[in-house]
Amino acid sequence: VVMKDGPVQVVNDTRVVDELWVDVTRVVLKGEDGDDDDENEAEAESESGDDSSPDDGEHDGGEDDGDHHGGREVVVFDPDRDNGGAPRTFDLLTLTNTAVLLNTLPVPVGTYDEAKVTISGARAHIEGTPAADLVTLVLDGEGDGGPDEFEFDLEPPVTVDASGVTIAQVDFVPVVTLDGTDLVLSHDGSSDESGECEGEAELEHEGTITSVSADHNTIELDGFQFPVDVSMVDGKDALAVGQVVEVEGHLDAAAGVFVATEVEVEDGDEH
């Protein structure tokens, strides 16, 4: 599951928003209404050797919330389960050309046509103001869970089968509206490109290097499922275990590898 951003739209205000930080606390995929989801899930579990009931709500990955208004809901990001209890926090405006990887995990076989993202807080920086001055935004999501829940139609729908890797992309196109003295965050669902990501997904990810291959062509990062191919990165020989790095590149889902085009060490040294 990855998240990207479209250009911010500012309404009723001439000021320019140049940073938009969000705290993501939950991401749910909702399945299409259909009668064969349980059959497909049972088949996938049978092939994997899992004898548990497909309706027991337990999976080695996404938590199945059961049937909701005709469609299954699966939790694909939960901070307690996936991020040590902390929300995933990032600046949406840095994700126009790349996406951030929220999680990689197995989910029940099926087709998913909607995503729900819960945000516990959001802050904006206004161009020309001190760097530390962030304005707290009022949340205006449209989900059933309240103003902190934002809904996204997945077009094309995300199809998960019993083998292979599928990338679900949530494209958050932020709209910041001046309402009295408040800045309100909503999103433009008519302009986003949420849905199954076909081909290569341009991503960025930050983590600590846990291993480096003998030829320095591959590194592994803590909490990151895929090995990172750094063979095309200048200065790769200087990468070492224990460094905190941000990698940019694309996920080759078919090969199961992240191909890096740039690696930046946290201290500012860029390769």
Side-chain angles (χ1 to χ4, degrees):
V1 181
V2 304
M3 178 173 283
K4 63 172 292 189
D5 159 58
V8 63
Q9 304 171 30
V10 180
V11 180
N12 298 336
D13 200 337
T14 58
R15 294 176 295 176
V16 175
V17 173
D18 58 9
E19 296 179 20
L20 207 167
W21 295 88
V22 294
D23 305 317
V24 176
T25 56
R26 186 177 174 91
V27 181
V28 173
L29 296 183
K30 183 174 180 179
E32 290 184 337
D33 187 8
D35 296 327
D36 57 356
D37 279 350
D38 287 339
E39 179 181 345
N40 290 337
E41 182 185 346
E43 179 181 344
E45 290 177 338
S46 174
E47 292 176 355
S48 67
D50 187 347
D51 295 330
S52 62
S53 167
D55 293 323
D56 64 4
E58 297 296 331
H59 303 277
D60 293 330
E63 176 186 348
D64 189 347
D65 274 359
D67 189 77
H68 296 257
H69 306 293
R72 166 181 289 118
E73 292 192 353
V74 178
V75 179
V76 293
F77 175 74
D78 175 89
D80 293 328
R81 183 190 67 195
D82 305 317
N83 203 43
R88 285 295 304 274
T89 299
F90 41 82
D91 178 6
L92 279 174
L93 303 192
T94 65
L95 304 177
T96 301
N97 297 316
T98 61
V100 64
L101 183 66
L102 289 175
N103 205 8
T104 56
L105 77 171
V107 300
V109 169
T111 301
Y112 300 86
D113 61 356
E114 184 179 327
K116 298 180 180 182
V117 177
T118 301
I119 295 175
S120 61
R123 300 158 301 284
H125 180 263
I126 306 299
E127 186 179 68
T129 63
D133 289 356
L134 297 177
V135 180
T136 299
L137 304 181
V138 176
L139 302 177
D140 187 24
E142 66 283 78
D144 294 336
D148 60 347
E149 185 178 84
F150 295 78
E151 294 184 346
F152 302 82
D153 291 330
L154 301 178
E155 298 177 359
V158 174
T159 301
V160 177
D161 57 28
S163 62
V165 178
T166 303
I167 301 174
Q169 175 174 276
V170 177
D171 184 15
F172 197 122
V173 182
V175 179
V176 176
T177 302
L178 180 62
D179 183 8
T181 59
D182 292 330
L183 286 176
V184 179
L185 175 65
S186 58
H187 81 99
D188 182 1
S190 64
S191 299
D192 73 37
E193 298 176 350
S194 299
E196 182 171 335
C197 183
E198 300 175 353
E200 298 176 347
E202 296 296 323
L203 301 173
E204 62 180 43
H205 184 76
E206 183 176 300
T208 302
I209 298 177
T210 57
S211 71
V212 179
S213 64
D215 58 8
H216 280 262
N217 284 334
T218 304
I219 63 174
E220 294 185 353
L221 305 178
D222 65 324
F224 193 54
Q225 176 180 343
F226 301 96
V228 181
D229 179 351
V230 295
S231 60
M232 298 187 298
V233 175
D234 293 335
K236 62 185 177 65
D237 291 344
L239 298 174
V241 171
Q243 290 175 327
V244 177
V245 296
E246 181 179 277
V247 295
E248 293 187 10
H250 67 268
L251 178 61
D252 185 337
V257 64
F258 184 94
V259 181
T261 56
E262 184 176 305
V263 178
E264 182 178 350
V265 182
E266 189 181 52
D267 63 9
D269 293 333
E270 190 170 308
H271 301 282

